[in-house]
């Protein structure tokens, strides 16, 4: 689209998470009139640490915000996969992207705070939960539960795995239980029993359990993540300290000791869900992105990275196509094959024997047995 046409676009982004904030930055740099509507009354990101891949950091450099992200993260040179007791399985450098060769390890809270800090003041409107969206072809009408109604030339549904935009316009498919629980905490390096030695991600693999150790040395902390097969599909299950420690039985004694020392009030406990691939992401003027379009399991560490790459690809498509409708088709054509594959391989996290141990005679909907996969690198 011509620059003057993009500047005349009124864009409403639903959701101020990673994808929504990144899309707001990328689209506002094109000169579009962008407003972000977020249902939360204040931004608070729970969870632990994530890795921002070289392709993602390349986008941040392109948008002029690399330094903002880099100063609250630690650059990592490689990742390592080990057995439960610490015997090496594989070790590899991160797939480079242009001049970017390192993955940056960051706390989720620091990440969303940094992204929001680079947006123009007043662009993000908190306390706006989407109630209905009416697609009128070249324009949409949005109604929020607080009574506000707005119109937009382009609506970007970045409202996560439980997306209202997706449910109302694209698909009635809801989240799919993976057969897993995730237990996540951020601890002091002093409580890590000597397991923080550098800035590199390590994953320890036991039977039916994986433990991810993601150092955040710039914070003097480590992100500690246990992922375990479990039949309880309760969205926010309740577990005891004994339950948690039992999942790491047989692991390196230092990992067991970390688990024993956790304050359960600081542990984020959740059942793990994704969604099945969505056939179509867009209408003429509404588009899904991030978890709303392709929520995936975390085994490949690509959820946040995919959302950032979506934001960049959407901005690119608007500059390359002649109309919004054509841009959304181009965006889906460029991104959906990549995210479909990431969704597929992210579901291949366990062996058949491991799954049968927990789900005798059946498999959870999203799990398919597979061998070990190294963290994949998506292409922008």
């Amino acid at each position: 689209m011509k620059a003057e046409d993009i500047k005349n676009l009124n864009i409403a982004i639903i959701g101020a998470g990673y994808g929504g904030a990144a899309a707001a930055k990328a689209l506002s740099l094109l000169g579009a009139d962008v407003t972000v509507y977020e249902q939360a009354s204040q931004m608070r990101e729970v969870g632990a640490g994530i890795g921002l891949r070289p392709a993602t950091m390349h986008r941040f450099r392109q948008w002029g915000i690399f330094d903002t992200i880099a100063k609250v993260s630690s650059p990592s040179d490689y990742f390592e996969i080990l057995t439960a007791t610490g015997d090496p399985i594989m070790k590899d450098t991160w797939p480079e992207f242009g001049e970017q060769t390192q993955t940056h390890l960051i706390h989720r809270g620091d990440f969303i705070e940094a992204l929001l800090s680079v947006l123009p003041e007043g662009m993000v409107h908190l306390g706006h939960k989407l109630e209905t969206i009416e697609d009128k072809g070249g324009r949409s009408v949005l109604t929020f539960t607080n009574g506000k109604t707005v119109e937009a030339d382009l609506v970007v549904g970045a409202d996560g795995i439980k997306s209202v935009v997706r449910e109302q316009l694209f698909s009635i498919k809801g989240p799919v239980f993976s057969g897993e629980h995730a237990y996540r905490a951020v601890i002091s390096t002093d409580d890590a029993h000597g397991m923080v030695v550098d800035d590199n991600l390590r994953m320890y693999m036991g039977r039916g359990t994986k433990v991810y150790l993601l150092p955040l040395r710039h914070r003097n902390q480590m992100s500690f993540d246990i992922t375990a097969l479990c039949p309880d599909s309760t969205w926010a299950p309740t577990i005891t300290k004994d339950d948690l420690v039992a999942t790491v039985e047989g692991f390196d004694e230092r990992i067991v000791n970390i688990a024993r020392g956790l304050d359960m009030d600081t542990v984020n406990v959740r059942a793990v869900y994704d969604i099945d691939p969505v056939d179509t992401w867009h209408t003429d003027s509404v588009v899904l992105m991030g978890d709303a379009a392709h929520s995936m399991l975390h085994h490949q560490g690509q959820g946040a990275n995919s959302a950032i790459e979506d934001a960049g690809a959407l901005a690119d498509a608007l500059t390359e196509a002649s109309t919004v409708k054509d841009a959304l088709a181009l965006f889906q054509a460029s991104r959906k094959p990549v995210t479909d594959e990431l969704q597929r391989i992210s579901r291949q996290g366990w062996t058949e024997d491991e799954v049968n141990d927990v789900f005798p005679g059946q498999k959870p909907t999203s799990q398919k047995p597979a061998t070990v996969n190294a963290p994949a690198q998506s292409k922008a």
Side-chain angles (χ1 to χ4, degrees):
M1 296 176 63
K2 295 179 180 178
E4 56 265 33
D5 293 332
I6 294 176
K7 289 179 180 178
N8 288 328
L9 279 182
N10 183 313
I11 301 177
I13 298 175
I14 308 302
Y18 311 137
K25 182 62 179 178
L27 297 174
S28 63
L29 286 173
L30 299 181
D33 179 9
V34 179
T35 306
V36 183
Y37 299 96
E38 166 58 41
Q39 67 175 342
S41 58
Q42 61 180 21
M43 295 304 297
R44 176 177 173 269
E45 185 65 36
V46 299
I50 55 175
L52 302 175
R53 302 295 179 86
T56 302
M57 297 305 294
H58 172 79
R59 281 293 185 186
F60 294 150
R61 191 176 293 279
Q62 184 182 52
W63 299 337
I65 63 173
F66 180 94
D67 290 342
T68 300
I69 305 298
K71 73 180 181 181
V72 291
S73 63
S74 294
S76 169
D77 295 316
Y78 65 85
F79 59 90
E80 191 170 10
I81 301 175
L82 309 100
T83 67
T85 53
D87 294 324
I89 296 174
M90 69 168 294
K91 177 179 176 181
D92 204 355
T93 56
W94 299 102
E96 62 185 60
F97 192 95
E99 64 185 270
Q100 304 299 327
T101 60
Q102 295 174 309
T103 283
H104 282 244
L105 308 183
I106 192 169
H107 188 280
R108 292 171 183 266
D110 293 342
F111 183 34
I112 192 63
E113 185 177 315
L115 280 178
L116 293 175
S117 75
V118 299
L119 299 181
E121 186 175 354
M123 180 175 285
V124 178
H125 293 221
L126 301 178
H128 283 69
K129 182 178 181 179
L130 183 66
E131 185 170 41
T132 62
I133 175 170
E134 184 181 0
D135 184 353
K136 295 188 172 183
R139 198 164 178 81
S140 294
V141 178
L142 306 172
T143 303
F144 298 90
T145 56
N146 61 9
K148 185 171 182 176
T149 298
V150 301
E151 294 189 21
D153 303 311
L154 170 60
V155 176
V156 180
D159 49 342
I161 190 171
K162 296 181 179 180
S163 170
V164 174
V165 179
R166 185 184 71 239
E167 179 183 352
Q168 292 194 12
L169 294 185
F170 296 92
S171 170
I172 61 172
K173 295 178 183 178
V176 178
F177 179 49
S178 68
E180 304 165 348
H181 281 184
Y183 314 131
R184 292 171 171 158
V186 175
I187 64 173
S188 168
T189 299
D190 298 335
D191 296 326
H193 293 267
M195 300 201 79
V196 178
V197 295
D198 54 29
D199 294 309
N200 298 303
L201 172 68
R202 290 177 173 85
M203 180 178 75
Y204 291 74
M205 299 184 62
R207 189 173 181 83
T209 300
K210 297 181 176 75
V211 176
Y212 301 83
L213 304 182
L214 188 148
L216 300 166
R217 291 204 299 172
H218 58 284
R219 274 173 155 249
N220 193 37
Q221 291 178 328
M222 181 181 76
S223 179
F224 182 67
D225 182 329
I226 300 171
T227 301
L229 288 170
C230 184
D232 180 7
S233 62
T234 306
W235 194 271
T238 299
I239 67 162
T240 66
K241 171 72 73 68
D242 289 343
D243 295 331
L244 188 146
V245 172
T247 64
V248 292
E249 182 180 355
F251 275 74
D252 185 309
E253 190 61 26
R254 294 172 296 174
I255 290 175
V256 178
N257 286 333
I258 291 172
R260 287 192 183 119
L262 291 175
D263 176 355
M264 293 302 292
D265 289 339
T266 68
V267 179
N268 178 256
V269 179
R270 66 179 181 88
V272 182
Y273 284 77
D274 66 358
I275 62 172
D276 289 329
V278 178
D279 293 337
T280 302
W281 293 358
H282 68 93
T283 65
D284 290 354
S285 60
V286 181
V287 66
L288 300 174
M289 64 166 292
D291 282 353
H294 47 68
S295 179
M296 60 190 68
L297 303 184
H298 59 276
H299 301 298
Q300 294 295 324
Q302 285 285 10
N305 288 283
S306 293
I308 303 305
E309 292 191 34
D310 282 355
L314 179 58
D316 291 345
L318 282 172
T319 63
E320 294 168 14
S322 57
T323 66
V324 169
K325 177 182 177 180
D326 290 344
L328 300 187
L330 177 60
F331 165 68
Q332 176 174 314
S334 68
R335 291 294 298 151
K336 183 170 164 55
V338 176
T339 59
D340 280 354
E341 179 65 4
L342 287 172
Q343 284 183 294
R344 185 188 69 80
I345 63 175
S346 294
R347 284 182 167 183
Q348 296 182 331
W350 309 96
T351 67
E352 187 166 359
D353 285 345
E354 288 175 301
V355 174
N356 287 337
D357 279 350
V358 179
F359 301 89
Q362 62 176 342
K363 295 182 178 68
T365 305
S366 72
Q367 285 295 347
K368 296 180 181 179
T371 54
V372 175
N373 286 313
Q377 176 67 50
S378 63
K379 303 295 184 184

